[in-house]
Amino acid sequence: MFMKIILVVIFFGVMLGIGLYCRKHSTDVSGFVLGGRAVGPWLTAFAYGTSYFSAVVFVGYAGQFGWRYGIAATWAGLGNAVIGSLMAWAVLGRRTRIMSQYLSSATMPDFFGKRFLSNALKIAASIICFVFLIPYTASLYNGLSRLFGMAFSIDYSVCVIFMAVLTGIYVVAGGYMATAINDFIQGIIMLCGIIAVIAAVISSRGGLFDALAGLAEISDAHAATRLAKSPGIFASFFGPDPINLMFVVILTSLGTWGLPQMVQKFYAIKNESDITKGTVISTLFALVVAGGCYFLGGFGRLFSAQLDPAGLGVPADGYDSIIPVMLSGLPDILLGVVVILVLSASMSTLSSLVLASSSTLTLDLLKDHVIKNMDEKKQLLVMRILIVIFIIISVVLALIQYKSNVTFIAQLMGVSWGALAGAFLAPFMYSLYWKGVTKISCWVNFIFSSVVMTANIFMRPDFPVMLQSPINAGAFCMLAGFIIVPVVSFITPKPNKDFLDMAFACYTKTVTVRQSKALADNYD
């Protein structure tokens, strides 16, 4: 216990110190929200990765999907690395950085407003962010409850409040730069932690080959499909349900392309070469962390004796109990590492979400619409106040969910991700590459995804069977956007050509670089 407490105290002390140190970088709006657009590749890549993977992935998704799909759940981690990181950086990174700077936009809603010359579109996007980011923020705490109950004899409420207060202090004090530096440290903890945990858990089952052999002997007699009842299916390449696994890969991988807190990382990167380096770093980070999490979860059924003693085919205490039970036999020092790992994952995502929420609400909704003549000093003050408010709301929701066992809030995690990515992904990506995207197509896509995902909360039984899952519905909305935006754009009034020619000229602007950065055609 002493060792675990020491680790947590050191972790909290370092995070707090960095927040106070970074106050000098948060004296203006650009510095507070984007780090002055001068953040290097390592910090940006780790900020992207740690914002991507939270306790929801490590405790919730890894356990749930590992139980359902076996070792094939690793495909979700590979998808996160290839689609969610490598392709996201390659497709969006450079163009987002250039266009957002040209338009002087600091948030995704502001980008939509300036790219389509529509103040109403900016307000609508900011409202969508506000509505769906809050429950996403609250869900981050869910994975902590069981781990802290297992590792410490303290109430979960105390842990949540401490975590929230610490995150609030360093984000309010240091803004984006404090978040990025802390994300870097937290990312290193996550990398080392997940490798150590996987090695320990697999070793407890006789090593990798014995663990795979044990998994190959398991079948699910209660499964609805004949495939899932087949012995060896949970150790197979595609698992017992490849179709639903594909939807998981789409939502958790492609979804990052449309999440405001993820895309905003590209706004802050320093220069061209940093984008290439950041692409490699973030991809490797996702490969280890996400691939490792889902790979670990794939062995959950080896612990069926503790998880499902009645043999009913589902964990007696729910899917969130799977990973904690798998880790319960680890040495104390490793349990301390796990606690720090999950704290790191949750705090990094929490800081990113509250910064994105507060900046969006301040710059896109309150400024010039609710509060007139809002100078830079007042903008910073309002953003800091909203960060505190958002954190308080998320803590209250998390505590309500924990103490009353209300599953409604926990379910909103999948709905939030699907609604945000479904609304923003296609319009944002198309608008970086194609001049023909229209304002109306953005409106249609915003409304379509928001309505579908909201209806999925209240009218789930009325949905087609395949789309009753929030994950499948969210993936459907994202894919539908790739059809909705071009089709609506072709049949609606064309945007202002002169403005678009001027805006897209930022991609072909001639710049002068040093010889060390480029090879010359001749030396005359």
Side-chain angles (χ1 to χ4, degrees), residues 25-43:
H25 295 285
S26 58
T27 55
D28 57 32
V29 172
S30 177
F32 189 81
V33 178
L34 299 175
R37 295 186 190 267
V39 184
W42 284 91
L43 292 184

Side-chain angles (χ1 to χ4, degrees), residues 96 108 111-112 257 263 267 424-432:
T96 298
M108 184 176 276
F111 175 88
F112 282 118
W257 295 35
V263 174
Y267 288 35
F424 297 146
L425 193 162
F428 183 77
M429 193 195 77
Y430 276 125
S431 64
L432 292 175

Side-chain angles (χ1 to χ4, degrees), residues 132-374:
F132 291 103
L133 279 179
I134 287 293
Y136 183 9
T137 304
S139 69
L140 296 178
Y141 301 100
N142 291 336
L144 291 172
S145 58
R146 295 181 185 273
L147 285 175
F148 266 79
M150 175 184 69
F152 297 96
S153 298
I154 58 174
D155 188 71
Y156 166 66
S157 304
V158 176
C159 163
V160 168
I161 292 171
F162 266 110
M163 171 184 157
V165 169
L166 176 64
T167 305
I169 290 173
Y170 79 70
V171 177
V172 167
Y176 184 85
M177 189 58 75
T179 299
I181 295 175
N182 276 328
D183 285 350
F184 180 72
I185 296 173
Q186 291 161 351
I188 293 174
I189 294 171
M190 290 167 68
L191 286 171
C192 298
I194 194 65
I195 292 172
V197 167
I198 290 173
V201 171
I202 297 300
S203 295
S204 72
R205 286 298 181 266
L208 178 60
F209 296 110
D210 284 350
L212 286 172
L215 197 63
E217 297 174 359
I218 296 174
S219 61
D220 187 353
H222 300 276
T225 63
R226 181 171 57 85
L227 186 62
K229 296 177 182 179
S230 306
I233 196 65
F234 292 104
S236 66
F237 194 65
F238 289 117
D241 191 356
I243 300 299
N244 280 307
L245 176 59
M246 179 185 68
F247 280 110
V248 172
V249 174
I250 292 172
L251 181 80
T252 61
S253 302
L254 195 60
T256 60
W257 295 35
L259 296 179
Q261 76 276 12
M262 301 297 294
V263 174
Q264 195 165 325
K265 300 296 185 292
F266 299 134
Y267 288 35
I269 200 163
K270 189 174 182 180
N271 57 43
E272 185 89 23
S273 62
D274 286 352
I275 294 176
T276 303
K277 296 174 186 174
T279 303
V280 176
I281 297 166
S282 67
T283 302
L284 292 176
F285 182 89
L287 192 62
V288 174
V289 174
C293 285
Y294 288 110
F295 178 74
L296 175 65
F299 292 97
R301 285 183 181 263
L302 293 180
F303 297 79
S304 294
Q306 298 128 283
L307 290 164
D308 181 24
L312 300 177
V314 293
D317 294 326
Y319 292 113
D320 287 350
S321 67
I322 295 173
I323 296 298
V325 166
M326 295 175 71
L327 303 178
S328 60
L330 297 181
D332 282 348
I333 185 66
L334 269 181
L335 276 180
V337 171
V338 169
V339 170
I340 299 299
L341 186 160
V342 177
L343 271 175
S344 298
S346 298
M347 289 176 63
S348 57
T349 306
L350 175 63
S351 62
S352 178
L353 287 172
V354 297
L355 188 58
S357 300
S358 67
S359 59
T360 294
L361 197 58
T362 301
L363 301 177
D364 304 325
L365 193 59
L366 299 181
K367 181 185 176 185
D368 299 331
H369 302 113
V370 178
I371 304 175
K372 303 295 183 182
N373 302 319
M374 199 177 190

Side-chain angles (χ1 to χ4, degrees), residues 105-116 118-130 133 260-261 264 267 356-357 359-361 363-365 420 424 428 446:
S105 64
T107 66
M108 184 176 276
D110 189 40
F111 175 88
F112 282 118
K114 291 177 176 176
R115 169 66 175 78
F116 295 99
S118 172
N119 204 39
L121 195 65
K122 179 176 75 171
I123 294 173
S126 66
I127 292 173
I128 292 173
C129 287
F130 175 74
L133 279 179
Q261 76 276 12
Q264 195 165 325
Y267 288 35
S357 300
S359 59
T360 294
L361 197 58
L363 301 177
D364 304 325
L365 193 59
L420 288 164
F424 297 146
F428 183 77
F446 285 5

Side-chain angles (χ1 to χ4, degrees), residues 53-76:
F53 309 115
S54 67
V56 176
V57 172
F58 183 73
V59 176
Y61 280 8
Q64 177 180 348
F65 299 140
W67 183 273
R68 288 183 177 179
Y69 308 121
I71 205 69
T74 308
W75 281 108

